[in-house]
Short mmCIF file of all heavy atoms in Angstrom, two decimals:
data_model
loop_
_atom_site.label_atom_id
_atom_site.label_comp_id
_atom_site.label_asym_id
_atom_site.label_seq_id
_atom_site.Cartn_x
_atom_site.Cartn_y
_atom_site.Cartn_z
N TRP A 276 7.37 11.47 15.49
CA TRP A 276 7.13 11.27 14.05
C TRP A 276 6.57 9.87 13.81
O TRP A 276 5.94 9.64 12.79
CB TRP A 276 8.41 11.52 13.24
CG TRP A 276 9.63 10.77 13.70
CD1 TRP A 276 10.61 11.24 14.53
CD2 TRP A 276 9.99 9.42 13.39
NE1 TRP A 276 11.57 10.27 14.74
CE2 TRP A 276 11.22 9.15 14.05
CE3 TRP A 276 9.42 8.42 12.60
CZ2 TRP A 276 11.86 7.91 13.95
CZ3 TRP A 276 10.07 7.19 12.50
CH2 TRP A 276 11.27 6.95 13.18
N VAL A 277 6.78 8.95 14.74
CA VAL A 277 6.20 7.60 14.55
C VAL A 277 4.67 7.64 14.55
O VAL A 277 4.03 6.68 14.12
CB VAL A 277 6.68 6.57 15.61
CG1 VAL A 277 8.17 6.30 15.50
CG2 VAL A 277 6.31 7.00 17.04
N ASN A 278 4.09 8.74 15.04
CA ASN A 278 2.62 8.83 15.10
C ASN A 278 2.04 9.57 13.89
O ASN A 278 0.83 9.81 13.84
CB ASN A 278 2.18 9.59 16.36
CG ASN A 278 2.53 8.85 17.63
OD1 ASN A 278 2.75 7.65 17.61
ND2 ASN A 278 2.58 9.58 18.75
N ASP A 279 2.88 9.93 12.94
CA ASP A 279 2.38 10.76 11.85
C ASP A 279 1.23 10.08 11.10
O ASP A 279 1.35 8.91 10.70
CB ASP A 279 3.51 11.09 10.86
CG ASP A 279 3.01 12.04 9.78
OD1 ASP A 279 2.44 13.09 10.14
OD2 ASP A 279 3.16 11.72 8.59
N GLY A 280 0.15 10.80 10.94
CA GLY A 280 -0.99 10.29 10.16
C GLY A 280 -2.02 9.51 10.96
O GLY A 280 -3.06 9.10 10.44
N LEU A 281 -1.75 9.28 12.25
CA LEU A 281 -2.66 8.42 13.02
C LEU A 281 -4.05 9.01 13.18
O LEU A 281 -5.01 8.28 13.45
CB LEU A 281 -2.08 8.10 14.40
CG LEU A 281 -0.82 7.22 14.42
CD1 LEU A 281 -0.48 6.80 15.83
CD2 LEU A 281 -0.99 6.00 13.52
N GLU A 282 -4.17 10.34 13.03
CA GLU A 282 -5.51 10.93 13.17
C GLU A 282 -6.41 10.53 11.99
O GLU A 282 -7.61 10.80 12.01
CB GLU A 282 -5.43 12.46 13.33
CG GLU A 282 -5.02 13.23 12.10
CD GLU A 282 -3.51 13.25 11.85
OE1 GLU A 282 -2.76 12.53 12.53
OE2 GLU A 282 -3.09 14.00 10.94
N LEU A 283 -5.84 9.85 10.98
CA LEU A 283 -6.64 9.45 9.82
C LEU A 283 -7.00 7.97 9.83
O LEU A 283 -7.73 7.50 8.97
CB LEU A 283 -5.85 9.74 8.52
CG LEU A 283 -5.38 11.18 8.31
CD1 LEU A 283 -4.56 11.28 7.03
CD2 LEU A 283 -6.57 12.12 8.26
N VAL A 284 -6.46 7.20 10.79
CA VAL A 284 -6.60 5.74 10.69
C VAL A 284 -7.68 5.22 11.63
O VAL A 284 -8.13 5.91 12.54
CB VAL A 284 -5.25 5.02 10.95
CG1 VAL A 284 -4.15 5.64 10.11
CG2 VAL A 284 -4.89 5.01 12.43
N ASP A 285 -8.08 3.96 11.37
CA ASP A 285 -9.16 3.35 12.15
C ASP A 285 -8.65 2.60 13.38
O ASP A 285 -9.36 2.51 14.38
CB ASP A 285 -9.94 2.38 11.25
CG ASP A 285 -10.63 3.13 10.13
OD1 ASP A 285 -11.65 3.77 10.41
OD2 ASP A 285 -10.11 3.12 8.99
N SER A 286 -7.47 2.03 13.26
CA SER A 286 -6.95 1.30 14.42
C SER A 286 -5.43 1.32 14.40
O SER A 286 -4.80 1.50 13.35
CB SER A 286 -7.48 -0.14 14.44
OG SER A 286 -7.21 -0.80 13.22
N TRP A 287 -4.88 1.13 15.58
CA TRP A 287 -3.43 1.23 15.77
C TRP A 287 -3.08 0.35 16.96
O TRP A 287 -3.84 0.27 17.93
CB TRP A 287 -3.07 2.69 16.09
CG TRP A 287 -1.62 2.96 16.40
CD1 TRP A 287 -0.65 3.26 15.49
CD2 TRP A 287 -0.97 2.98 17.68
NE1 TRP A 287 0.56 3.47 16.13
CE2 TRP A 287 0.38 3.30 17.48
CE3 TRP A 287 -1.41 2.75 19.00
CZ2 TRP A 287 1.30 3.40 18.52
CZ3 TRP A 287 -0.48 2.84 20.04
CH2 TRP A 287 0.86 3.17 19.79
N CYS A 288 -1.96 -0.33 16.88
CA CYS A 288 -1.56 -1.11 18.07
C CYS A 288 -0.06 -1.05 18.28
O CYS A 288 0.71 -0.80 17.36
CB CYS A 288 -2.02 -2.55 17.95
SG CYS A 288 -0.94 -3.57 16.94
N PHE A 289 0.33 -1.26 19.53
CA PHE A 289 1.75 -1.47 19.86
C PHE A 289 1.83 -2.43 21.03
O PHE A 289 0.85 -2.69 21.73
CB PHE A 289 2.44 -0.14 20.16
CG PHE A 289 2.41 0.30 21.61
CD1 PHE A 289 3.58 0.38 22.36
CD2 PHE A 289 1.21 0.63 22.23
CE1 PHE A 289 3.56 0.77 23.70
CE2 PHE A 289 1.19 1.04 23.57
CZ PHE A 289 2.36 1.11 24.30
N ASP A 290 3.02 -2.98 21.20
CA ASP A 290 3.26 -4.02 22.21
C ASP A 290 4.09 -3.47 23.38
O ASP A 290 5.32 -3.41 23.27
CB ASP A 290 4.06 -5.19 21.62
CG ASP A 290 3.24 -6.15 20.77
OD1 ASP A 290 2.01 -6.15 20.88
OD2 ASP A 290 3.86 -6.93 20.02
N PRO A 291 3.48 -3.10 24.49
CA PRO A 291 4.31 -2.82 25.67
C PRO A 291 5.18 -4.03 26.04
O PRO A 291 6.21 -3.87 26.69
CB PRO A 291 3.28 -2.52 26.77
CG PRO A 291 2.09 -1.99 26.02
CD PRO A 291 2.07 -2.80 24.75
N HIS A 292 4.78 -5.23 25.58
CA HIS A 292 5.59 -6.42 25.90
C HIS A 292 6.84 -6.53 25.01
O HIS A 292 7.59 -7.49 25.14
CB HIS A 292 4.78 -7.71 25.88
CG HIS A 292 4.26 -8.17 24.54
ND1 HIS A 292 2.96 -8.59 24.38
CD2 HIS A 292 4.84 -8.30 23.34
CE1 HIS A 292 2.78 -8.96 23.12
NE2 HIS A 292 3.90 -8.79 22.47
N LYS A 293 7.02 -5.56 24.12
CA LYS A 293 8.28 -5.56 23.39
C LYS A 293 9.24 -4.54 24.01
O LYS A 293 10.30 -4.88 24.46
CB LYS A 293 8.05 -5.26 21.92
CG LYS A 293 7.66 -6.51 21.16
CD LYS A 293 7.57 -6.31 19.68
CE LYS A 293 7.43 -7.65 18.99
NZ LYS A 293 6.78 -7.54 17.69
N TRP A 294 8.82 -3.30 23.99
CA TRP A 294 9.80 -2.24 24.27
C TRP A 294 9.31 -1.28 25.36
O TRP A 294 9.79 -0.19 25.47
CB TRP A 294 10.09 -1.49 22.95
CG TRP A 294 11.31 -0.65 22.91
CD1 TRP A 294 12.40 -0.74 23.74
CD2 TRP A 294 11.57 0.44 22.02
NE1 TRP A 294 13.32 0.23 23.40
CE2 TRP A 294 12.83 0.96 22.34
CE3 TRP A 294 10.85 1.02 20.97
CZ2 TRP A 294 13.39 2.03 21.65
CZ3 TRP A 294 11.41 2.08 20.29
CH2 TRP A 294 12.68 2.58 20.63
N LEU A 295 8.33 -1.69 26.17
CA LEU A 295 7.88 -0.78 27.23
C LEU A 295 7.89 -1.46 28.61
O LEU A 295 6.99 -1.25 29.41
CB LEU A 295 6.52 -0.16 26.90
CG LEU A 295 6.28 1.22 27.56
CD1 LEU A 295 7.18 2.30 26.95
CD2 LEU A 295 4.82 1.64 27.50
N PHE A 296 8.90 -2.31 28.84
CA PHE A 296 9.21 -2.79 30.20
C PHE A 296 8.08 -3.60 30.83
O PHE A 296 7.97 -3.67 32.06
CB PHE A 296 9.62 -1.59 31.09
CG PHE A 296 10.64 -0.74 30.42
CD1 PHE A 296 10.30 0.44 29.79
CD2 PHE A 296 11.96 -1.17 30.35
CE1 PHE A 296 11.25 1.19 29.10
CE2 PHE A 296 12.92 -0.43 29.67
CZ PHE A 296 12.56 0.76 29.05
N THR A 297 7.26 -4.21 29.99
CA THR A 297 6.10 -4.97 30.46
C THR A 297 6.23 -6.38 29.91
O THR A 297 6.38 -6.56 28.71
CB THR A 297 4.82 -4.31 29.93
OG1 THR A 297 4.85 -2.93 30.30
CG2 THR A 297 3.58 -4.96 30.52
N ASN A 298 6.19 -7.37 30.81
CA ASN A 298 6.40 -8.73 30.32
C ASN A 298 5.22 -9.20 29.49
O ASN A 298 4.09 -8.73 29.65
CB ASN A 298 6.65 -9.69 31.49
CG ASN A 298 5.51 -9.76 32.45
OD1 ASN A 298 5.24 -8.80 33.15
ND2 ASN A 298 4.78 -10.86 32.45
N PHE A 299 5.50 -10.14 28.59
CA PHE A 299 4.46 -10.72 27.74
C PHE A 299 3.36 -11.30 28.64
O PHE A 299 3.67 -11.92 29.65
CB PHE A 299 5.10 -11.84 26.90
CG PHE A 299 4.24 -12.28 25.77
CD1 PHE A 299 4.29 -11.63 24.55
CD2 PHE A 299 3.36 -13.34 25.93
CE1 PHE A 299 3.47 -12.03 23.50
CE2 PHE A 299 2.55 -13.74 24.88
CZ PHE A 299 2.61 -13.09 23.66
N ASP A 300 2.03 -11.13 28.35
CA ASP A 300 1.52 -10.58 27.13
C ASP A 300 0.80 -9.25 27.39
O ASP A 300 0.06 -9.14 28.35
CB ASP A 300 0.56 -11.58 26.48
CG ASP A 300 -0.52 -12.05 27.45
OD1 ASP A 300 -0.43 -11.71 28.65
OD2 ASP A 300 -1.46 -12.74 27.05
N CYS A 301 1.02 -8.29 26.49
CA CYS A 301 0.36 -7.00 26.63
C CYS A 301 0.49 -6.20 25.33
O CYS A 301 1.56 -5.68 25.03
CB CYS A 301 0.97 -6.21 27.79
SG CYS A 301 0.11 -4.68 28.14
N ASP A 302 -0.59 -6.20 24.57
CA ASP A 302 -0.64 -5.37 23.36
C ASP A 302 -1.76 -4.35 23.55
O ASP A 302 -2.86 -4.72 23.97
CB ASP A 302 -0.94 -6.24 22.14
CG ASP A 302 -1.22 -5.38 20.89
OD1 ASP A 302 -0.26 -5.05 20.18
OD2 ASP A 302 -2.40 -5.04 20.65
N CYS A 303 -1.49 -3.09 23.26
CA CYS A 303 -2.55 -2.07 23.34
C CYS A 303 -3.10 -1.81 21.94
O CYS A 303 -2.35 -1.42 21.04
CB CYS A 303 -2.01 -0.76 23.89
SG CYS A 303 -1.41 -0.89 25.59
N LEU A 304 -4.38 -2.06 21.78
CA LEU A 304 -5.06 -1.80 20.50
C LEU A 304 -6.02 -0.64 20.69
O LEU A 304 -6.79 -0.62 21.66
CB LEU A 304 -5.84 -3.04 20.05
CG LEU A 304 -6.83 -2.82 18.89
CD1 LEU A 304 -6.09 -2.53 17.58
CD2 LEU A 304 -7.75 -4.03 18.71
N TYR A 305 -5.97 0.32 19.78
CA TYR A 305 -6.90 1.45 19.81
C TYR A 305 -7.74 1.46 18.54
O TYR A 305 -7.22 1.17 17.45
CB TYR A 305 -6.13 2.78 19.89
CG TYR A 305 -5.49 2.98 21.24
CD1 TYR A 305 -4.20 2.55 21.48
CD2 TYR A 305 -6.20 3.58 22.29
CE1 TYR A 305 -3.60 2.72 22.72
CE2 TYR A 305 -5.61 3.76 23.53
CZ TYR A 305 -4.31 3.33 23.74
OH TYR A 305 -3.73 3.49 24.97
#
Side-chain angles (χ1 to χ4, degrees):
W276 52 264
V277 295
N278 295 340
D279 184 52
L281 293 189
E282 71 279 9
L283 304 177
V284 311
D285 296 284
S286 54
W287 176 88
C288 81
F289 90 114
D290 282 342
H292 68 226
K293 277 187 170 155
W294 196 20
L295 207 69
F296 311 100
T297 306
N298 61 291
F299 194 87
D300 52 353
C301 186
D302 171 89
C303 296
L304 168 69
Y305 289 91

